[in-house]
Amino acid sequence: MDSQRQKGEVPDQALVYECLERVLSSPVFEKSLRQQDLLRYLVKENLAGNGQRLKGYTLGVELFGRGVDFDPTTDAIVRVEVGRLRTKLREYYGSNSHGDAVTFALPKGGYVIDIHTSENHQTTASATPKPVTNLFEQEISLAVLPFANLPSNPEQEYFVDGIVDNLIFELSQLSGLLVISRQSSFRYRNSNMSSQEIGNLLGVKYLLEGNVQLSEKRVRVTVRLIEALTSTCVWADRYEGFLQEIFALQDEITLSIVKQLQIKLSPAEAQLFGHEGTISIEAHDALLRGIACHWKYAPKFVAEARKHFTKAVELDPNYASAHAWLARTLLFLWVMRWEPDEALYRDALVHAKKAAAINSHLPYVQSILGWTHLWHRNRDECIAACRQAVAIDPNNFEAYIFLSMSLSCAGFGEEALYYIEKAQRMNPHSSPFYEYTIGLAHYVLKDYDKAVAAFKRGCAIGATFPPNFVYLCVTYQLMGLKAEALAARRAYLAILGGDTSKILLSPWLEKNLHDTFRRLLIESGIGYSGTSYRPYDAPAGIQEIQE
């Protein structure tokens, strides 16, 4: 065979270290100092015969500076960095163009480096090692496309989208399946592209498409599972029932898809179904109307979403999702300065806590609880809730976004970057919020060129999304690029219509980051005041919120 795993025999250590340094000095690793240290450490311990002592605790204490009370089950530093190292190795060997005599792989489930040597290695650059990509598991991937609304009735669009949203939410919680986010899949509404083209762009094996027919009392849903590569329909079915049975109908569709994809459900996953959170169709309808409005991200529509979510919690006070969405909308109105009333800020936390008290097992509830704590500067509660959301649903794109943003605001840039980069697989098409979040991580890591690139992409994608313009201006100011900072400031103020009372808020959890940002806001000419920009201290009255 061309290569073999070293088992027992002593490898040529000089050759191993020569190839290791080639890996570490490559463009893939050259700016990743922590991954360099980790790979060098793991190879050294392996060659010394210490593979048995490579545990999460050992790495945390010896390599990452954690104290003796380090608990790898609650502090994710080791998992994060090891995950990033696996990604870096895969990227390095992916081109198969290095011709290394020795290759390194880090299989999942452990910390012992596999060292492969080529028996027939040639010194010419054309020689290539055995690919290591086969060590990585192949995923079952799916994108749920927007369903057709039959007959075309704009007033029913929110309901049809709600069915698709529910399918994405339910399927994304299954560990055996990767589901593309709504943000990317909904780009293909009414698309004339072929299934193969969409599948290639989203990087998925399967597409789910369908249509919904809604009458006054009944609903009919037709679904088709398409193999993207061949555009072949591998399964189709029709589901029909009374409108009052929509929750059971949605569960039936989801379980049928799971069966067709041959995904084995764990006992915990099997219990996910049949727990929609409300028995009130009217409350659910109000929730769907509110979600449809919220996604438009404009003051008028977000204010309208608030009314729908308020109605939903009035119709069913124990509807956790409705409380979470109401919390998000209230906070969003306040953060964007569309409604500067601090009562919104306080009420958001009340509803977020209420949602978690009703059902703490919903990933969206945990994400919004964490996001709300972020703006109240409750660092530990914020990060804990966001971590819980990712733990519950490892496929939830927004959960990774909220966690990454929270970690950046607390100063944990490397971990923040890991999670936002991981989110990209679930959301191949970028968005202003995604670019803002990845830019934030680079900003905290002081990689300002990459931060600027991300903020600029965000500005180009969403010309009315203010955060990218603010952070672009501040980063330029930090880099000493005065002309560029001035242009970004003018663009930002143009979005505000010149109203400086609506200067965006920023949720730094780490005081040095906050103080630097405040200084840069002033120096750049955007300005900072107790009324236009919230000081580091929490708003007056927040101590009254106890829940």
Side-chain angles (χ1 to χ4, degrees), residues 115-173:
I115 301 176
H116 300 256
T117 59
S118 174
E119 294 177 347
N120 301 318
H121 174 70
Q122 301 175 8
T123 58
T124 61
S126 60
T128 57
K130 181 179 178 180
V132 298
T133 52
N134 60 345
L135 295 175
F136 296 87
E137 298 176 355
Q138 297 296 316
E139 61 195 5
I140 302 176
S141 51
L142 171 74
V144 186
L145 303 181
F147 284 9
N149 177 14
L150 301 178
S152 182
N153 182 351
E155 303 227 341
Q156 296 177 353
E157 196 75 47
Y158 77 93
F159 188 87
V160 177
D161 288 351
I163 291 176
V164 177
D165 283 339
N166 181 78
L167 287 172
I168 293 174
F169 169 73
E170 296 287 0
L171 291 168
S172 72
Q173 296 183 79

Side-chain angles (χ1 to χ4, degrees), residues 140 171-178 263-266 269 394-395:
I140 302 176
L171 291 168
S172 72
Q173 296 183 79
L174 307 182
S175 57
L177 179 65
L178 184 141
I263 297 171
K264 184 177 180 180
L265 299 180
S266 69
E269 290 170 342
N395 276 326

Side-chain angles (χ1 to χ4, degrees), residues 1-2 171 220 274 344 409 518:
M1 59 182 177
D2 292 336
L171 291 168
R220 174 185 294 172
L344 276 67
C409 290
R518 173 182 179 175

Side-chain angles (χ1 to χ4, degrees), residues 38 78-88 106 418:
L38 176 57
V78 174
R79 295 195 303 274
V80 167
E81 297 303 335
V82 168
R84 294 190 71 187
L85 176 58
R86 289 192 181 102
T87 300
K88 292 286 185 184
L106 184 54
Y418 167 78

Side-chain angles (χ1 to χ4, degrees), residues 308-328:
H308 289 303
F309 296 141
T310 299
K311 180 180 179 181
V313 299
E314 289 173 349
L315 289 167
D316 185 353
N318 292 313
Y319 195 0
S321 294
H323 282 285
W325 272 103
L326 180 56
R328 180 176 187 171

Side-chain angles (χ1 to χ4, degrees), residues 400-406 408 416-417 420 431-442 454-455 465 468:
Y400 285 101
I401 287 275
F402 287 125
L403 176 56
S404 176
M405 182 179 175
S406 300
S408 287
L417 186 61
I420 191 61
S431 70
F433 194 17
Y434 174 85
E435 296 297 347
Y436 163 68
T437 309
I438 196 169
L440 198 65
H442 286 304
F455 296 140
F465 185 71
N468 284 310

Side-chain angles (χ1 to χ4, degrees), residues 168-458:
I168 293 174
F169 169 73
E170 296 287 0
L171 291 168
S172 72
Q173 296 183 79
L174 307 182
S175 57
L177 179 65
L178 184 141
V179 182
I180 298 300
S181 73
R182 176 195 204 273
Q183 182 177 289
S184 285
S185 63
F186 267 58
R187 286 174 176 256
Y188 299 96
R189 190 193 296 275
N190 301 322
S191 173
N192 292 323
M193 297 175 67
S194 69
S195 298
Q196 186 176 26
E197 290 173 320
I198 295 174
N200 285 338
L201 289 170
L202 294 177
V204 295
K205 185 175 182 180
Y206 296 103
L207 301 173
L208 189 73
E209 60 183 29
N211 60 65
V212 178
Q213 293 175 276
L214 186 63
S215 65
E216 185 176 348
K217 294 183 178 180
R218 295 188 65 81
V219 59
R220 174 185 294 172
V221 182
T222 301
V223 293
R224 294 178 295 278
L225 185 65
I226 308 296
E227 186 178 57
L229 182 62
T230 62
S231 296
T232 302
C233 179
V234 297
W235 168 77
D237 209 340
R238 176 181 295 170
Y239 302 84
E240 187 171 356
F242 289 102
L243 194 57
Q244 295 287 340
E245 302 168 339
I246 185 61
F247 300 135
L249 202 65
Q250 290 176 154
D251 281 348
E252 185 180 357
I253 295 171
T254 304
L255 287 169
S256 295
I257 296 167
V258 169
K259 181 179 179 181
Q260 292 301 319
L261 294 175
Q262 299 182 359
I263 297 171
K264 184 177 180 180
L265 299 180
S266 69
E269 290 170 342
Q271 293 179 14
L272 292 173
F273 303 98
H275 301 279
E276 284 74 20
T278 184
I279 59 174
S280 170
I281 293 296
E282 292 78 12
H284 184 63
D285 184 82
L287 178 77
L288 296 183
R289 290 180 185 273
I291 293 173
C293 289
H294 183 91
W295 288 133
K296 296 178 182 179
Y297 287 128
K300 172 185 174 183
F301 293 108
V302 177
E304 186 177 342
R306 174 188 177 185
K307 295 178 182 178
H308 289 303
F309 296 141
T310 299
K311 180 180 179 181
V313 299
E314 289 173 349
L315 289 167
D316 185 353
N318 292 313
Y319 195 0
S321 294
H323 282 285
W325 272 103
L326 180 56
R328 180 176 187 171
T329 298
L330 292 172
L331 193 55
F332 192 65
L333 286 167
W334 181 75
V335 168
M336 300 299 289
R337 311 310 285 156
W338 292 339
E339 293 188 27
D341 183 0
E342 287 189 2
L344 276 67
Y345 167 89
R346 295 191 293 268
D347 291 345
L349 183 58
V350 172
H351 285 286
K353 287 185 173 182
K354 177 68 173 178
I358 296 170
N359 190 344
S360 62
H361 299 293
L362 291 176
Y364 185 75
V365 165
Q366 289 293 341
S367 286
I368 298 305
L369 179 63
W371 191 57
T372 309
H373 276 305
L374 171 65
W375 290 95
H376 284 260
R377 305 200 193 281
N378 300 328
R379 191 193 76 163
D380 293 346
E381 294 88 342
C382 158
I383 294 177
C386 289
R387 287 194 194 282
Q388 183 66 11
V390 169
I392 295 171
D393 186 355
N395 276 326
N396 192 306
F397 166 71
E398 279 203 318
Y400 285 101
I401 287 275
F402 287 125
L403 176 56
S404 176
M405 182 179 175
S406 300
L407 290 166
S408 287
C409 290
F412 303 122
E414 289 200 30
E415 193 175 355
L417 186 61
Y418 167 78
Y419 283 114
I420 191 61
E421 288 178 342
K422 190 170 184 179
Q424 188 175 26
R425 176 63 186 96
M426 290 158 270
N427 191 60
H429 293 294
S430 192
S431 70
F433 194 17
Y434 174 85
E435 296 297 347
Y436 163 68
T437 309
I438 196 169
L440 198 65
H442 286 304
Y443 175 90
V444 172
L445 289 170
K446 299 182 180 181
D447 195 340
Y448 300 124
D449 287 334
K450 289 185 178 179
V452 163
F455 296 140
K456 288 178 68 175
R457 289 193 301 267

